[in-house]
Structures are given as C-alpha cells and as structure tokens.
Amino acid sequence: MMVIRRLGINDHEQCMELLKPKAAENLFILGDIEAYGYEQDFQKLWGDFDEKGNLRAVLLKFYKNYPLCR
C-alpha cells in the first residue's frame, strides 16, 4: 500500500537521506528546506512512502511551483 502525506520536522532525517545523494539535482528542494523548513504557508512538502514506511519521493509546492524528487 502506498502512502502520500505531508512531511514535517520528524521526517527531516529520512528526507535528507533521500535528497542528499543527488544534491545537485535536488538543490532547489534542499535549499528551500534549509531556508524555510517544513511549516510555511507558501511552502508545503509531501512524501511518498512504501509499505515499509521508506520515503521514496518528495514533492515540494513552493508558491505555485512543484519540483519533484524521486
């Protein structure tokens, strides 16, 4: 079963483990998390988790833009 839910500060470590190996490709998402965190009105992050609870994709909504990491 696939689960998509909002990410918060408790997901930070798992999120960084997914994003940092391809830091150049995920620069926009990493920079926004570092600068603004997870709890902003203009920025929202969602995670796609597998049935074991492993994060496998991150979707960022930054104002009206939707950069995707997988």
Side-chain angles (χ1 to χ4, degrees):
M1 180 169 106
M2 175 176 65
V3 174
I4 297 174
R5 65 170 175 78
R6 281 278 304 269
L7 297 177
I9 191 66
N10 294 335
D11 301 301
H12 184 72
E13 186 176 324
Q14 198 173 10
C15 189
M16 292 299 109
E17 286 177 14
L18 177 69
L19 297 174
K20 284 189 175 182
K22 294 185 179 179
E25 295 171 7
N26 298 315
L27 185 61
F28 188 80
I29 296 173
L30 286 165
D32 286 347
I33 291 171
E34 184 177 319
Y36 306 114
Y38 294 87
E39 303 294 328
Q40 296 294 329
D41 291 336
F42 59 86
Q43 173 171 296
K44 301 198 177 13
L45 292 127
W46 287 272
D48 173 27
F49 294 83
D50 67 15
E51 53 279 338
K52 295 181 180 179
N54 299 310
L55 182 63
R56 57 185 176 189
V58 173
L59 176 67
L60 165 70
K61 180 183 179 194
F62 186 83
Y63 290 99
K64 294 181 181 182
N65 298 313
Y66 290 91
L68 173 66
C69 163
R70 51 184 168 147

